[in-house]
Amino acid sequence: MGQGRPPARPGLGCCILVLLVLGGLGSPGTPPGPRGEEQGPAVMGGLWDKERYEAVKEHLGAVGALSKQYWRYLACKVWQEGCEEEQKSDLSPGWSLPLVGQDYLEILSAWFCSFGKCCETGDCRIINNITGLEADLSEQLHGQHLAKEVVVRALREFLQSPRPEKALVLSFHGWSGTGKNFVARMVASHLFRDGLKSKCVRLFISLFHFPHHKYMDSYKAQLHRQVSKTLQLCKQSLFIFDEAEKLHPSLLDAIRPFMAHYGNKGQADHRTSIFLFLSNLGGNTINEVALDFWRGGRAREEISMELLEQRLRQELQEPAEDSYVHSHLLRENLIDFLVPFLPLEYHHVKLCARDAFLARGLPYTEATLDEVAGMMVFVPKEEKLFSAQGCKSVPQRINYFLP
């Protein structure tokens, strides 16, 4: 027997949708009538008034198109045939349907996925789309050849390992605006269906979530409890610590056990979890290396991971208040990869501006991109080579060009 895709059966989706429609028109897309307004004798006699009839007509109008679209979506998910054609159309499921069609498509997708049939991971919240992550990083992350390579390789090897010895710990370093948060969000969106909104993803911002030193004991207990709960809920979890250099030393005790080698001493299995630390530490060291290469007439793409990692380790292992967490994690060999983010140059800022215009559906010209890039501050004072804020404020600059 062959294992190809079965013939399309839109009737199944159609029947389900009809039941949903006839089961109650209080579903999305049907506005309720004015409060207290009488429905007239037609309702009393078991018939529908015009408003109810039009609502049913609208619902049923979506059924045919939705049934076919939903079946293609399920077939792509389950049998992986024709998926390339679906992607080329650049239409997400339900995009071209009425609003009610989109709502029912999401309901039925969740229902189908609850059986685990469309989820290779066994948990439909987890998608682990490393191929998509690699493609999007190549297209949207500018000037960061090392970060692209290290992040993709580390995640791919970790997720392919049937029994990792410990959680994966990545530490992102570089100036503000070079892409650390951007990559963290992209990792979340390609590993989990709901991205940062997933119950399997927790984002902690040091000064926002742990602002007062006098409450550190309470913060420590809360942090330990939240990480433990997430590990219990999810087969695979992602924890992101932004502004990691400002993380209070006592909080390290709350998360250290979850990053250490698994001892199977009654604790939850944390080996399939991923920790990302985002920090501005090491930015000056990274920039010095990039500047030396530029002054020497060498391309930034020639900067090797071995060179930068060695320099970064030397800086981060020095005992200092702002590097306490990193120095201890490094000494205990808990950080698996230091990920350097290079400073961005003028042409990288132009690419960021282009992406910002495209994201908002606005027209642009080369002159416009130059104008946006020209509004940024570049350092050092003599060369004016690197954007002082990377691409961080580029989206705000676009507001000056709104019609």
Side-chain angles (χ1 to χ4, degrees), residues 41-68:
V43 176
M44 298 292 292
L47 299 177
W48 293 342
D49 64 357
K50 183 176 180 180
E51 182 180 356
R52 193 170 176 83
Y53 169 79
E54 291 296 335
V56 173
K57 182 179 178 181
E58 178 186 356
H59 280 65
L60 294 180
V63 169
L66 175 59
S67 180
K68 294 177 182 178

Short mmCIF file of all heavy atoms in Angstrom, two decimals, residues 41-68:
data_model
loop_
_atom_site.label_atom_id
_atom_site.label_comp_id
_atom_site.label_asym_id
_atom_site.label_seq_id
_atom_site.Cartn_x
_atom_site.Cartn_y
_atom_site.Cartn_z
N PRO A 41 -42.75 37.97 15.36
CA PRO A 41 -43.48 36.71 15.36
C PRO A 41 -42.77 35.61 14.60
O PRO A 41 -43.05 34.45 14.81
CB PRO A 41 -44.81 37.07 14.69
CG PRO A 41 -44.49 38.31 13.88
CD PRO A 41 -43.47 39.03 14.64
N ALA A 42 -41.84 35.96 13.69
CA ALA A 42 -41.16 34.92 12.92
C ALA A 42 -40.40 33.98 13.85
O ALA A 42 -40.37 32.78 13.65
CB ALA A 42 -40.20 35.54 11.90
N VAL A 43 -39.76 34.56 14.90
CA VAL A 43 -39.02 33.72 15.83
C VAL A 43 -39.97 32.88 16.64
O VAL A 43 -39.72 31.72 16.94
CB VAL A 43 -38.17 34.61 16.77
CG1 VAL A 43 -37.46 33.76 17.81
CG2 VAL A 43 -37.15 35.39 15.95
N MET A 44 -41.09 33.46 17.04
CA MET A 44 -42.06 32.72 17.84
C MET A 44 -42.54 31.50 17.09
O MET A 44 -42.81 30.47 17.66
CB MET A 44 -43.25 33.63 18.18
CG MET A 44 -42.87 34.86 19.01
SD MET A 44 -42.34 34.41 20.65
CE MET A 44 -43.90 33.81 21.30
N GLY A 45 -42.64 31.60 15.79
CA GLY A 45 -43.14 30.49 15.00
C GLY A 45 -42.07 29.50 14.61
O GLY A 45 -42.36 28.60 13.85
N GLY A 46 -40.83 29.68 15.11
CA GLY A 46 -39.76 28.74 14.79
C GLY A 46 -38.96 29.13 13.58
O GLY A 46 -38.04 28.42 13.19
N LEU A 47 -39.31 30.23 12.91
CA LEU A 47 -38.54 30.67 11.75
C LEU A 47 -37.54 31.72 12.17
O LEU A 47 -37.57 32.22 13.29
CB LEU A 47 -39.50 31.22 10.69
CG LEU A 47 -40.53 30.23 10.15
CD1 LEU A 47 -41.46 30.95 9.18
CD2 LEU A 47 -39.86 29.04 9.46
N TRP A 48 -36.63 32.08 11.25
CA TRP A 48 -35.59 33.08 11.53
C TRP A 48 -35.99 34.41 10.92
O TRP A 48 -36.52 34.46 9.82
CB TRP A 48 -34.24 32.64 10.95
CG TRP A 48 -33.68 31.44 11.64
CD1 TRP A 48 -34.01 30.94 12.84
CD2 TRP A 48 -32.65 30.59 11.12
NE1 TRP A 48 -33.27 29.85 13.14
CE2 TRP A 48 -32.41 29.60 12.10
CE3 TRP A 48 -31.90 30.59 9.93
CZ2 TRP A 48 -31.48 28.60 11.94
CZ3 TRP A 48 -30.96 29.60 9.77
CH2 TRP A 48 -30.74 28.62 10.77
N ASP A 49 -35.70 35.50 11.61
CA ASP A 49 -35.91 36.80 11.02
C ASP A 49 -34.78 37.08 10.03
O ASP A 49 -33.85 36.30 9.86
CB ASP A 49 -36.00 37.88 12.10
CG ASP A 49 -34.69 38.02 12.88
OD1 ASP A 49 -33.76 37.24 12.61
OD2 ASP A 49 -34.63 38.92 13.73
N LYS A 50 -34.84 38.21 9.36
CA LYS A 50 -33.88 38.53 8.30
C LYS A 50 -32.45 38.61 8.84
O LYS A 50 -31.51 38.14 8.21
CB LYS A 50 -34.26 39.85 7.63
CG LYS A 50 -33.35 40.21 6.46
CD LYS A 50 -33.83 41.48 5.78
CE LYS A 50 -32.90 41.82 4.60
NZ LYS A 50 -33.33 43.07 3.91
N GLU A 51 -32.30 39.21 10.02
CA GLU A 51 -30.95 39.38 10.58
C GLU A 51 -30.30 38.02 10.86
O GLU A 51 -29.15 37.78 10.54
CB GLU A 51 -31.03 40.19 11.88
CG GLU A 51 -29.66 40.45 12.51
CD GLU A 51 -29.77 41.26 13.78
OE1 GLU A 51 -30.90 41.67 14.10
OE2 GLU A 51 -28.74 41.46 14.44
N ARG A 52 -31.10 37.10 11.44
CA ARG A 52 -30.57 35.77 11.74
C ARG A 52 -30.30 35.01 10.45
O ARG A 52 -29.30 34.28 10.33
CB ARG A 52 -31.59 35.02 12.61
CG ARG A 52 -31.04 33.75 13.25
CD ARG A 52 -32.04 33.24 14.27
NE ARG A 52 -31.63 31.98 14.87
CZ ARG A 52 -30.80 31.87 15.89
NH1 ARG A 52 -30.27 32.95 16.42
NH2 ARG A 52 -30.48 30.69 16.40
N TYR A 53 -31.16 35.18 9.47
CA TYR A 53 -30.95 34.52 8.18
C TYR A 53 -29.66 34.99 7.52
O TYR A 53 -28.87 34.19 7.01
CB TYR A 53 -32.14 34.81 7.27
CG TYR A 53 -31.91 34.40 5.84
CD1 TYR A 53 -32.02 33.07 5.43
CD2 TYR A 53 -31.55 35.35 4.88
CE1 TYR A 53 -31.79 32.70 4.12
CE2 TYR A 53 -31.31 34.99 3.56
CZ TYR A 53 -31.44 33.67 3.19
OH TYR A 53 -31.19 33.31 1.90
N GLU A 54 -29.41 36.31 7.56
CA GLU A 54 -28.19 36.85 6.95
C GLU A 54 -26.94 36.34 7.70
O GLU A 54 -25.90 36.09 7.09
CB GLU A 54 -28.23 38.38 6.97
CG GLU A 54 -29.26 38.98 6.02
CD GLU A 54 -28.96 38.68 4.56
OE1 GLU A 54 -27.79 38.44 4.23
OE2 GLU A 54 -29.91 38.67 3.76
N ALA A 55 -27.07 36.19 9.01
CA ALA A 55 -25.93 35.70 9.79
C ALA A 55 -25.59 34.27 9.41
O ALA A 55 -24.42 33.92 9.22
CB ALA A 55 -26.24 35.79 11.28
N VAL A 56 -26.64 33.43 9.27
CA VAL A 56 -26.41 32.04 8.86
C VAL A 56 -25.83 32.00 7.46
O VAL A 56 -24.92 31.21 7.15
CB VAL A 56 -27.72 31.24 8.93
CG1 VAL A 56 -27.53 29.85 8.34
CG2 VAL A 56 -28.19 31.14 10.37
N LYS A 57 -26.33 32.84 6.58
CA LYS A 57 -25.83 32.89 5.20
C LYS A 57 -24.35 33.23 5.18
O LYS A 57 -23.58 32.65 4.41
CB LYS A 57 -26.65 33.92 4.42
CG LYS A 57 -26.24 34.02 2.94
CD LYS A 57 -27.12 35.06 2.23
CE LYS A 57 -26.70 35.19 0.77
NZ LYS A 57 -27.52 36.22 0.08
N GLU A 58 -23.95 34.19 6.03
CA GLU A 58 -22.54 34.59 6.09
C GLU A 58 -21.66 33.43 6.55
O GLU A 58 -20.60 33.16 6.02
CB GLU A 58 -22.36 35.78 7.03
CG GLU A 58 -20.90 36.23 7.17
CD GLU A 58 -20.75 37.31 8.22
OE1 GLU A 58 -21.78 37.75 8.76
OE2 GLU A 58 -19.61 37.69 8.50
N HIS A 59 -22.15 32.71 7.59
CA HIS A 59 -21.40 31.57 8.10
C HIS A 59 -21.25 30.48 7.04
O HIS A 59 -20.16 29.97 6.80
CB HIS A 59 -22.10 30.99 9.33
CG HIS A 59 -21.83 31.75 10.59
ND1 HIS A 59 -22.26 33.04 10.77
CD2 HIS A 59 -21.16 31.40 11.72
CE1 HIS A 59 -21.89 33.45 11.97
NE2 HIS A 59 -21.22 32.48 12.56
N LEU A 60 -22.37 30.13 6.41
CA LEU A 60 -22.33 29.05 5.43
C LEU A 60 -21.53 29.45 4.19
O LEU A 60 -20.97 28.59 3.51
CB LEU A 60 -23.76 28.67 5.03
CG LEU A 60 -24.60 28.03 6.14
CD1 LEU A 60 -26.00 27.70 5.63
CD2 LEU A 60 -23.93 26.76 6.64
N GLY A 61 -21.46 30.75 3.91
CA GLY A 61 -20.69 31.19 2.76
C GLY A 61 -19.21 30.90 2.91
O GLY A 61 -18.48 30.80 1.92
N ALA A 62 -18.77 30.80 4.15
CA ALA A 62 -17.35 30.52 4.40
C ALA A 62 -17.04 29.03 4.41
O ALA A 62 -15.88 28.64 4.31
CB ALA A 62 -16.92 31.12 5.74
N VAL A 63 -18.08 28.19 4.51
CA VAL A 63 -17.85 26.76 4.72
C VAL A 63 -17.12 26.10 3.56
O VAL A 63 -16.14 25.39 3.75
CB VAL A 63 -19.20 26.04 4.97
CG1 VAL A 63 -19.02 24.54 4.92
CG2 VAL A 63 -19.76 26.48 6.31
N GLY A 64 -17.58 26.36 2.32
CA GLY A 64 -16.95 25.70 1.18
C GLY A 64 -15.48 26.01 1.05
O GLY A 64 -14.64 25.12 0.97
N ALA A 65 -15.17 27.31 1.06
CA ALA A 65 -13.77 27.72 0.92
C ALA A 65 -12.96 27.25 2.11
O ALA A 65 -11.82 26.80 1.97
CB ALA A 65 -13.68 29.23 0.77
N LEU A 66 -13.54 27.35 3.29
CA LEU A 66 -12.81 26.97 4.50
C LEU A 66 -12.51 25.48 4.53
O LEU A 66 -11.42 25.05 4.90
CB LEU A 66 -13.61 27.36 5.73
CG LEU A 66 -13.04 26.93 7.09
CD1 LEU A 66 -11.66 27.54 7.28
CD2 LEU A 66 -13.96 27.37 8.22
N SER A 67 -13.48 24.68 4.11
CA SER A 67 -13.29 23.24 4.13
C SER A 67 -12.11 22.83 3.26
O SER A 67 -11.26 22.04 3.67
CB SER A 67 -14.57 22.54 3.65
OG SER A 67 -14.40 21.15 3.66
N LYS A 68 -12.04 23.38 2.04
CA LYS A 68 -10.92 23.05 1.15
C LYS A 68 -9.61 23.56 1.71
O LYS A 68 -8.59 22.86 1.67
CB LYS A 68 -11.17 23.67 -0.23
CG LYS A 68 -12.37 23.06 -0.95
CD LYS A 68 -12.59 23.76 -2.29
CE LYS A 68 -13.83 23.20 -2.98
NZ LYS A 68 -14.09 23.91 -4.26
#
